[in-house]
Amino acid sequence: KAGVTQTPRYLIKTRGQQVTLSCSPISGHRSVSWYQQTPGQGLQFLFEYFSETQRNKGNFPGRFSGRQFSNSRSEMNVSTLELGDSALYLCASSTTGLSYEQYFGPGTRLTVT
Amino acid sequence: GENVEQHPSTLSVQEGDSAVIKCTYSDSASNYFPWYKQELGKRPQLIIDIRSNVGEKKDQRIAVTLNKTAKHFSLHITETQPEDSAVYFCAADSNYQLIWGAGTKLIIKP
């Protein structure tokens, strides 16, 4: 089985711009979660989608949003980028949810200048 | 909100010795406790997990123990090897999300 894929792998944006990141889960996985990882901050949960529905959301501002398509692929969007949004954004897929094995993608490294 | 505390933040052990990383969680309803290993520049990978109906689980040199009464769980690595060098994260499920510890950087000294 192919693993979780994320595109693009690297991205450089300017403050104020917006960005869309994509995640393709493992075939058959219906749950996709998104995380922000910064040095010293560990993994911060953004949101989780299951069957096109957002089931839970972490403590991030409304500039961070996401969606899931009928094929389980997911996108997350960050509007009005700030310098502090520079991070590695990881997505993880699971068969049914967060209480089961999650498989991470390689991440998208976002740099905001 | 719920939280998971992980200690120590850095652990340096001699190759061949054992390493123990401890986590404490706050949500008494948590039932799933995974451990992930993240090598430098790579994605986190699940190495072992445990559910609340089990007190201990082993997989070769790795074991996890859970004490639900005290709300803490630990990762034990025996006979450490250079390839064990990485950052280890614990997590606990809470209200349909995983709450993560801050990570432990494990250094294996030759």
Side-chain angles (χ1 to χ4, degrees):
Chain A
K1 261 186 186 176
V4 179
T5 58
Q6 290 186 246
T7 56
R9 294 291 313 278
Y10 303 92
L11 208 49
I12 300 175
K13 289 285 188 179
T14 304
R15 258 186 313 176
Q17 288 185 315
Q18 75 164 20
V19 66
T20 298
L21 313 181
S22 180
C23 172
S24 292
I26 291 171
S27 177
H29 286 194
R30 296 166 64 188
S31 168
V32 174
S33 302
W34 287 90
Y35 296 90
Q36 182 193 67
Q37 186 174 36
T38 53
Q41 294 295 318
L43 287 153
Q44 303 296 317
F45 173 74
L46 281 154
F47 26 66
E48 187 245 356
Y49 287 87
F50 182 84
S51 293
E52 302 179 66
T53 300
Q54 185 183 90
R55 293 200 294 192
N56 210 345
K57 191 177 191 305
N59 192 24
F60 276 81
R63 299 185 297 107
F64 292 81
S65 63
R67 59 178 174 168
Q68 187 180 35
F69 302 95
S70 58
N71 62 357
S72 294
R73 189 178 70 86
S74 178
E75 289 181 347
M76 69 163 278
N77 185 76
V78 188
S79 62
T80 319
L81 284 165
E82 300 177 359
L83 294 178
D85 296 334
S86 294
L88 179 67
Y89 290 88
L90 292 158
C91 78
S93 78
S94 167
T95 50
T96 54
L98 294 165
S99 295
Y100 297 87
E101 289 187 28
Q102 287 193 77
Y103 297 87
F104 281 85
T108 294
R109 172 75 62 187
L110 172 65
T111 302
V112 182
T113 61
Chain B
E2 304 298 343
N3 74 305
V4 172
E5 292 187 3
Q6 183 173 347
H7 298 282
S9 56
T10 304
L11 178 59
S12 184
V13 301
Q14 206 69 39
E15 182 178 346
D17 287 350
S18 296
V20 180
I21 302 170
K22 299 182 179 181
C23 288
T24 303
Y25 61 98
S26 59
D27 186 355
S28 56
S30 293
N31 284 307
Y32 177 62
F33 308 90
W35 286 89
Y36 282 79
K37 173 184 181 182
Q38 187 175 29
E39 296 176 74
L40 191 63
K42 296 190 176 180
R43 70 192 78 184
Q45 290 198 302
L46 179 71
I47 55 172
I48 196 166
D49 56 14
I50 192 168
R51 296 190 183 274
S52 59
N53 57 345
V54 174
E56 183 176 5
K57 185 176 179 181
K58 285 184 180 178
D59 183 3
Q60 300 183 340
R61 296 186 297 107
I62 291 172
V64 57
T65 58
L66 171 65
N67 183 328
K68 277 224 81 176
T69 304
K71 290 193 281 186
H72 68 71
F73 56 112
S74 301
L75 178 71
H76 305 252
I77 306 174
T78 58
E79 300 173 10
T80 53
Q81 300 170 5
E83 55 264 36
D84 295 330
S85 293
V87 177
Y88 292 80
F89 292 96
C90 65
D93 72 327
S94 175
N95 196 27
Y96 301 107
Q97 61 176 284
L98 279 179
I99 310 297
W100 295 80
T104 296
K105 183 176 183 180
L106 177 61
I107 300 166
I108 308 299
K109 296 181 290 185

